[in-house]
Amino acid sequence: MTKPTAIRPPRSGAPDPDLLPEGLADRLPPRAAEAMRVTRAMVDAMAAHGYDPVQPPLVEFERSLAARMAGVRTNRMVRFTDPVSLRTLAVRADMTVQVGRIAATGMGDAPRPMRLSYAGQVLRIRGDGLEPEREQLQIGAEIIGADNVAAAAEAVLLAIDALKAAGASGISVDFTLPDLVDTLAERAHPMAADTIDAVRRELDAKDAGGLASAGGEAFLPLLYATGPFDSAIAKLEEFDRAIIDGGALGTRIAALREIAALVGDAARLTLDPTERHGFEYQSWFGFTVYAEGLRGALGRGGTYRVSGEAKAGHPPHDEVATGFSLYPDPLIDANGLTPASRIVFLPLGHDRGAAAALRFDGWRTRAALHDTDDGHALGCTHVLGAAGPEAI
Amino acid sequence: MTKPTAIRPPRSGAPDPDLLPEGLADRLPPRAAEAMRVTRAMVDAMAAHGYDPVQPPLVEFERSLAARMAGVRTNRMVRFTDPVSLRTLAVRADMTVQVGRIAATGMGDAPRPMRLSYAGQVLRIRGDGLEPEREQLQIGAEIIGADNVAAAAEAVLLAIDALKAAGASGISVDFTLPDLVDTLAERAHPMAADTIDAVRRELDAKDAGGLASAGGEAFLPLLYATGPFDSAIAKLEEFDRAIIDGGALGTRIAALREIAALVGDAARLTLDPTERHGFEYQSWFGFTVYAEGLRGALGRGGTYRVSGEAKAGHPPHDEVATGFSLYPDPLIDANGLTPASRIVFLPLGHDRGAAAALRFDGWRTRAALHDTDDGHALGCTHVLGAAGPEAI
């Protein structure tokens, strides 16, 4: 009996598993230059809106990475025992929680609202079916000390601005209400804790039959309050009016409408009020960002809380925040390449002053190191002649 | 009996070991912005000289990180078992070996000499007395396929250029001959393998007595052929003439003189021909870079070989290379801060078109989110009035 040979499709993440582990990849020229350009454009867009960058370390105490925001799981992180402290360290899988730590400790006394940005690599111990990549570039912005409509709209608009600056087009944003079921249970439709869990699960699965048998028949209309923002918010309002003591969602619906009005035509807006995937720690508002031609979400954000016990001289901490994280790798891979730069080949014995002057004027140069070096083969577009650069 | 209390000096690396592990630190505003500025300036200097960036992953197979260059030790890396491949992975501690892998495999067929640059965080499992930091920013450039005088001089000059672009001044460069003892043993002064090891060790320790008793009395003059380049190279030449069959170092000495002439007055030059610390994989030429006012080396470089067995469809590989790595963290910490940018406070209900126009003109803006937000407290220098920005 022979075993059938599995045909293994090539993975974009790791073209050669014998050279690099699955889900990890090199970015080679000219893609690495495009990645730097995208990072700069996004960080600069955030700086223009008043955000100051922070750079937390690659590695922290596992407990720190899990302590300050709800729902953060460390079992997806690379963890190891620190030979110095003998405590467990983890490689960051999400920089937002690091910014939360900074907000609660080192920058606990800075004036609020405080705007911080970050850009760096994050790592997880394994990929999954939809996202085989284990390492990603994460770029984000957080407003610490505000979670109102103005903060939410600023976060949505800045995410759109940063993506456009990086070359994305046809951006759409999907709004959600991450704590919708809890809010309804609290304000309009009391339920036992395990019913709440079951209702959430069936709404996540978008399973009408399951929802009804879990005791959530009243929530069935939520499954249909999705799609283009204007029609979906109207259906959500209708549902809210119909449910016992109608109007429990009144402030939420008004807030969503205000955010949508502020975003205007900067992006196509949709609503999926029960969507919770990827919103582990968000509170009343969440959003997911997409761009034309790119599979999957480019990032997500929303409102959340940063809290923590008193620690190392810092008082206990609890404050609201709003922010977003973008994962621009698919955009970098799909972007057109910027036109190849003009590179001047410098023959052996060239005038070094002339070469430095060209670089000062924005040219790139590439010098001969052997008398056999061939400027054209080395990707140069020009050669330095007696009168300056000459096209090859 | 009471134990004396150890007075622990504050560490720059980890101000609070209860919040962050020893040797790991946050970079907060405005230092993080300075770190980004320095990184951009150095990467741009390399691009101007024809180097193309590559971005290898944070994590690789441990074997890959050790395989292609002599003397790379993985026991200083963070290692863990990959749940996917069940092989050992390591977090990179040196990006040069990753560039070596890329040169031998994915870019094995690109024309030579090939110029690559990189910038990223590297991590080691623990710090040591002189360098408690466990994470560093590494920025470097490699010329694959050349290790001659032209390549060596280009590497030295580019390291100087990149550091100056990043704000360093008073740069000095110390040249060394990493394989000096082997060369002498081969060409002029045959020794048993364990004598070679002992001589190397005593030269490293700069211990004249130990050197003599290890059978290296002939090499005693090397301990004094150090200091400012012109006088030290003259002493090295004198030593070379005196040793049996004089002239074994003739080509090396001529090469060092040529490199020094090409560097000219771009930096202060010194020579320490027996220095091997930090030159695990360098071959005939090595250099260390220092800048005024900064403790310790800012980086080092030199010539080396990239080699490896045939692997995953790639033929066996063996070629020469030249490059350098800079570790600009001390420079970033010591640099003056760039003058604070002008930030315009945008009151609630401001004209959004006017704010966008200001950002387009290079202003930073920071918007009010609550009616109590105070532009001055939030670090703004101006406020948007009816006629445009007004100084606060």
Side-chain angles (χ1 to χ4, degrees):
Chain A
M1 208 175 96
T2 56
K3 239 171 121 179
T5 308
I7 294 171
R8 194 162 156 193
R11 279 167 191 269
S12 65
D16 189 339
D18 204 28
L19 290 172
L20 278 180
E22 216 175 284
L24 295 165
D26 294 314
R27 203 167 256 136
L28 302 180
R31 279 288 157 208
E34 177 60 17
M36 287 187 178
R37 194 195 64 74
V38 161
T39 303
R40 288 183 188 196
M42 294 177 70
V43 169
D44 287 350
M46 293 169 182
H49 284 267
Y51 290 71
D52 288 322
V54 291
Q55 294 183 332
L58 280 178
V59 163
E60 294 203 16
F61 291 125
E62 178 190 14
R63 264 193 68 174
S64 286
L65 290 172
R68 282 184 190 80
M69 280 144 67
V72 174
R73 291 169 301 160
T74 62
N75 61 355
R76 295 175 61 203
M77 300 179 194
V78 170
R79 288 171 290 177
F80 59 98
T81 300
D82 180 10
V84 180
S85 65
L86 302 181
R87 293 170 61 186
T88 302
L89 306 188
V91 181
R92 65 184 180 208
D94 177 4
M95 295 179 74
T96 308
V97 297
Q98 298 188 291
V99 175
R101 174 185 51 70
I102 289 171
T105 58
M107 299 192 73
D109 295 331
R112 266 41 173 182
M114 172 171 73
R115 289 170 171 88
L116 299 176
S117 69
Y118 53 88
Q121 301 298 123
V122 295
L123 190 71
R124 51 185 183 158
I125 188 84
R126 59 161 89 224
D128 54 43
L130 278 172
E131 294 182 337
E133 297 78 18
R134 289 199 265 183
E135 182 178 353
Q136 288 184 291
L137 173 59
Q138 181 182 13
I139 301 181
E142 312 293 336
I143 306 167
I144 310 292
D147 73 343
N148 59 0
V149 164
E154 176 168 313
V156 173
L157 282 163
L158 180 54
I160 296 167
D161 227 34
L163 283 172
K164 285 183 178 169
S169 60
I171 294 171
S172 62
V173 180
D174 191 32
F175 289 175
T176 184
L177 293 170
D179 68 356
L180 175 65
V181 174
D182 302 86
T183 304
L184 288 169
E186 193 186 304
R187 300 190 189 169
H189 193 91
M191 291 181 285
D194 56 348
T195 308
I196 293 178
D197 286 344
V199 165
R200 266 208 220 100
R201 203 167 46 238
E202 301 303 333
L203 283 171
D204 281 351
K206 305 209 184 293
D207 179 345
L211 185 60
S213 52
E217 36 301 80
F219 301 144
L220 275 171
L222 286 175
L223 290 180
Y224 306 101
T226 64
F229 183 79
D230 289 337
S231 59
I233 196 88
K235 285 184 198 155
L236 183 63
E237 205 157 29
E238 212 172 289
F239 160 81
D240 185 46
R241 269 198 301 267
I243 207 165
I244 311 138
D245 289 336
L249 299 179
T251 53
R252 295 293 163 85
I253 288 168
L256 288 179
R257 282 195 198 278
E258 279 183 74
I259 300 170
L262 286 164
V263 173
D265 57 4
R268 199 172 69 88
L269 293 186
T270 56
L271 175 67
D272 187 351
T274 68
E275 179 62 43
R276 294 191 312 125
H277 177 78
F279 296 97
E280 288 86 2
Y281 45 74
Q282 276 76 7
S283 53
W284 73 270
F285 174 67
F287 67 98
T288 310
V289 196
Y290 303 88
E292 215 164 65
L294 300 177
R295 193 179 58 84
L298 277 175
R300 50 179 60 83
T303 58
Y304 58 96
R305 295 195 87 82
V306 177
S307 53
E309 296 163 26
K311 185 133 201 185
H314 297 282
H317 196 88
D318 186 34
E319 67 181 325
V320 295
T322 306
F324 63 88
S325 293
L326 300 172
Y327 299 89
D329 287 323
L331 177 64
I332 292 163
D333 294 339
N335 265 354
L337 292 171
T338 46
S341 48
R342 298 176 309 172
I343 307 181
V344 184
F345 183 67
L346 306 173
L348 283 182
H350 63 271
D351 177 343
R352 291 165 69 203
L358 285 175
R359 286 189 295 269
F360 187 81
D361 286 343
W363 289 80
R364 297 179 67 193
T365 64
R366 201 166 266 164
L369 299 175
H370 316 99
D371 52 17
T372 53
D373 286 357
D374 173 350
H376 182 66
L378 292 174
C380 298
T381 55
H382 292 71
V383 60
L384 180 58
E390 298 160 8
I392 294 186
Chain B
M1 208 175 99
T2 56
K3 239 173 121 179
T5 308
I7 294 172
R8 193 163 156 195
R11 280 167 190 269
S12 64
D16 189 339
D18 204 28
L19 289 172
L20 277 180
E22 215 176 284
L24 295 165
D26 293 314
R27 202 167 258 137
L28 301 181
R31 280 287 158 208
E34 177 60 16
M36 287 187 179
R37 194 197 63 74
V38 161
T39 303
R40 289 184 187 195
M42 294 177 71
V43 169
D44 287 349
M46 293 169 182
H49 284 265
Y51 290 71
D52 288 323
V54 291
Q55 294 183 332
L58 280 178
V59 162
E60 294 204 19
F61 291 125
E62 178 190 14
R63 264 194 67 176
S64 287
L65 289 172
R68 283 183 190 80
M69 279 145 69
V72 175
R73 291 169 300 158
T74 62
N75 60 355
R76 294 175 60 205
M77 300 180 195
V78 170
R79 287 170 291 177
F80 60 98
T81 301
D82 180 10
V84 180
S85 64
L86 301 180
R87 293 170 61 186
T88 302
L89 305 188
V91 181
R92 66 187 180 205
D94 177 4
M95 294 178 76
T96 309
V97 297
Q98 298 189 292
V99 174
R101 174 184 52 70
I102 289 171
T105 59
M107 299 191 73
D109 295 331
R112 267 41 174 181
M114 173 171 73
R115 290 171 170 89
L116 300 176
S117 68
Y118 54 87
Q121 301 298 123
V122 295
L123 190 72
R124 51 187 183 155
I125 189 85
R126 59 162 89 223
D128 54 43
L130 278 171
E131 294 182 339
E133 296 78 18
R134 290 199 265 182
E135 183 177 352
Q136 288 184 291
L137 172 60
Q138 182 181 14
I139 302 181
E142 312 293 336
I143 306 168
I144 309 293
D147 73 343
N148 58 1
V149 163
E154 177 168 312
V156 173
L157 283 164
L158 180 54
I160 295 168
D161 228 34
L163 283 171
K164 285 183 179 170
S169 60
I171 294 172
S172 63
V173 180
D174 191 34
F175 288 175
T176 184
L177 292 170
D179 68 355
L180 176 65
V181 174
D182 302 86
T183 304
L184 288 169
E186 191 187 305
R187 300 191 188 168
H189 192 90
M191 291 181 285
D194 55 348
T195 309
I196 293 177
D197 287 344
V199 165
R200 265 208 221 100
R201 203 167 46 240
E202 302 302 334
L203 283 171
D204 281 350
K206 305 209 183 292
D207 178 346
L211 185 60
S213 52
E217 35 303 79
F219 299 144
L220 276 171
L222 286 176
L223 291 179
Y224 307 100
T226 65
F229 182 79
D230 289 338
S231 58
I233 196 89
K235 285 184 198 154
L236 184 63
E237 205 158 30
E238 210 171 289
F239 160 80
D240 185 46
R241 268 199 300 271
I243 207 166
I244 312 138
D245 288 337
L249 298 179
T251 54
R252 296 291 163 86
I253 288 167
L256 288 179
R257 282 196 198 279
E258 279 183 75
I259 300 169
L262 286 164
V263 173
D265 58 4
R268 199 174 68 89
L269 293 185
T270 56
L271 175 66
D272 187 352
T274 67
E275 178 64 41
R276 293 190 312 122
H277 177 76
F279 295 97
E280 287 86 4
Y281 45 74
Q282 275 78 6
S283 53
W284 74 270
F285 174 68
F287 67 99
T288 309
V289 196
Y290 303 88
E292 216 165 66
L294 299 177
R295 191 179 59 85
L298 277 176
R300 50 179 61 84
T303 59
Y304 59 96
R305 296 195 86 82
V306 177
S307 53
E309 297 163 26
K311 184 136 200 183
H314 297 283
H317 196 88
D318 186 35
E319 67 181 325
V320 294
T322 306
F324 64 87
S325 294
L326 300 172
Y327 299 89
D329 286 323
L331 176 63
I332 292 163
D333 294 339
N335 264 356
L337 292 172
T338 46
S341 49
R342 298 176 310 173
I343 307 181
V344 185
F345 183 67
L346 307 173
L348 283 183
H350 64 270
D351 176 343
R352 291 165 69 203
L358 285 174
R359 287 189 295 269
F360 187 81
D361 286 344
W363 288 81
R364 296 179 68 195
T365 63
R366 201 165 267 164
L369 298 176
H370 316 99
D371 52 16
T372 54
D373 287 357
D374 173 350
H376 182 65
L378 292 174
C380 298
T381 54
H382 292 70
V383 59
L384 180 58
E390 299 159 7
I392 294 186

